[in-house]
Amino acid sequence: MSKVSKKSLIATAMVGALALVGSNIAAADALTDLQNAEAQIFKQAAKSQAKVNSIYEQTQDIIAEYRNTVDEAEVLRGYNDHVQRMVDDQEANLASLQKQIDGVDKVKQGVVPLMYDMIASLEEFIKLDVPMNLERRLERVANLNVVMNDSNVTTSEQFRLVLEAYEIEAGYGTIFDAYQGEIDLGGRSLTADFVHMGRVAFVAQSLDAKHSWLWNNETRSWEELGDDYLKPVTDAIRMARKQLPMNLTKLPVFAAGAE
């Protein structure tokens, strides 16, 4: 092997040193580039993370809003169902009411002729009955006929008045009452006191208490009583007017089938 001179060794060493320095410089540049690239990547990553965070927050807001919307929709759905049930019930009630109204019209068609028949029957009954308070009773029937022709009076009110008249007539069968009026004796009339015990006895007495009469419903006429009935009739009149305490008294009564 040939010997290398010291100059060659120095030159070689210098070249090696320069090569090492150059290598170190190149490595430093590469490291810097790498660091810059990493910084850029971190910066981009931070921006991306910020975007992700923003999108996440927006997503959470949207989800919360969606849930609120869903909850409101559920509430509205429940309320709408409730309202629909109420509407259905009201429609059913209206249908039922209309059916009842239609039924009322049909009832009216039957009730109105019935009322006219009832009034006519009542008038006929009064004319055939014992004639206590006859004028008042016939006037009541006349008023019923007026009411039936009054368009301002409802059918229900008309029917109530007809039934009331029947109740009043039924009451005459149990009333003990006295009143003053005109008595028709066939050829003459005079003012007298009348007293009746239901429909059992109907008598009259002159105001001077000297004459008494008994109504005969078979002959539709008054028949004069004997003097022995004067005081009993007077007492009956006074008891009916509450001028005497109630007590037993003798009043004439026509027996069924008697002649």
Side-chain angles (χ1 to χ4, degrees):
M1 179 183 292
S2 61
K3 294 183 179 178
V4 179
S5 64
K6 292 180 179 180
K7 288 183 180 180
S8 296
L9 290 172
I10 294 170
T12 300
M14 291 178 62
V15 171
L18 290 172
L20 180 61
V21 170
S23 176
N24 289 337
I25 292 173
D29 290 340
L31 179 61
T32 300
D33 291 340
L34 181 59
Q35 290 175 341
N36 289 336
E38 289 179 346
Q40 188 66 26
I41 290 172
F42 288 150
K43 185 176 181 181
Q44 292 298 327
K47 289 182 178 180
S48 297
Q49 185 62 43
K51 289 182 179 180
V52 170
N53 292 339
S54 177
I55 293 172
Y56 176 78
E57 291 176 355
Q58 292 177 7
T59 302
Q60 293 300 313
D61 291 340
I62 292 173
I63 291 174
E65 184 176 353
Y66 170 75
R67 287 176 177 172
N68 288 335
T69 302
V70 170
D71 291 342
E72 291 177 359
E74 289 295 330
V75 171
L76 289 175
R77 186 177 296 109
Y79 179 72
N80 288 337
D81 291 342
H82 170 69
V83 172
Q84 186 60 49
R85 287 193 296 271
M86 292 181 62
V87 170
D88 293 342
D89 182 66
Q90 289 177 350
E91 289 178 349
N93 288 335
L94 287 175
S96 175
L97 182 60
Q98 185 60 50
K99 186 177 180 180
Q100 294 177 33
I101 291 173
D102 295 340
V104 167
D105 291 336
K106 292 181 180 179
V107 170
K108 283 183 179 180
Q109 294 174 6
V111 167
V112 172
L114 174 64
M115 285 191 291
Y116 279 109
D117 289 342
M118 291 176 68
I119 293 172
S121 296
L122 184 63
E123 182 176 12
E124 184 68 19
F125 170 79
I126 291 173
K127 290 179 179 179
L128 295 175
D129 191 26
V130 177
M132 60 273 196
N133 290 306
L134 182 60
E135 292 183 2
R136 185 188 305 173
R137 295 160 70 190
L138 291 176
E139 182 180 359
R140 186 178 296 109
V141 172
N143 289 336
L144 288 177
N145 286 317
V146 172
V147 167
M148 292 299 297
N149 295 321
D150 190 345
S151 61
N152 293 320
V153 182
T154 64
T155 303
S156 60
E157 177 64 12
Q158 291 170 343
F159 193 64
R160 186 192 69 80
L161 291 173
V162 172
L163 291 181
E164 182 180 68
Y166 267 79
E167 290 176 358
I168 293 173
E169 284 300 319
Y172 279 116
T174 59
I175 292 175
F176 179 41
D177 187 33
Y179 63 94
Q180 196 171 95
E182 295 296 314
I183 182 172
D184 183 3
L185 298 175
R188 61 191 178 95
S189 64
L190 54 88
T191 303
D193 289 319
F194 295 86
V195 62
H196 69 94
M197 298 181 65
R199 291 183 168 87
V200 176
F202 183 39
V203 294
Q205 189 173 69
S206 60
L207 297 184
D208 59 10
K210 292 182 179 180
H211 300 277
S212 294
W213 300 269
L214 172 66
W215 174 258
N216 185 337
N217 208 45
E218 293 291 332
T219 62
R220 306 293 298 174
S221 62
W222 291 99
E223 297 184 5
E224 189 164 2
L225 298 171
D227 292 345
D228 54 329
Y229 280 106
L230 292 178
K231 186 177 186 309
V233 171
T234 300
D235 290 344
I237 293 172
R238 296 184 64 189
M239 283 189 286
R241 290 174 174 169
K242 297 180 172 39
Q243 296 171 347
L244 281 180
M246 298 298 292
N247 201 347
L248 294 176
T249 187
K250 181 178 69 173
L251 287 178
V253 175
F254 277 107
E259 297 182 359

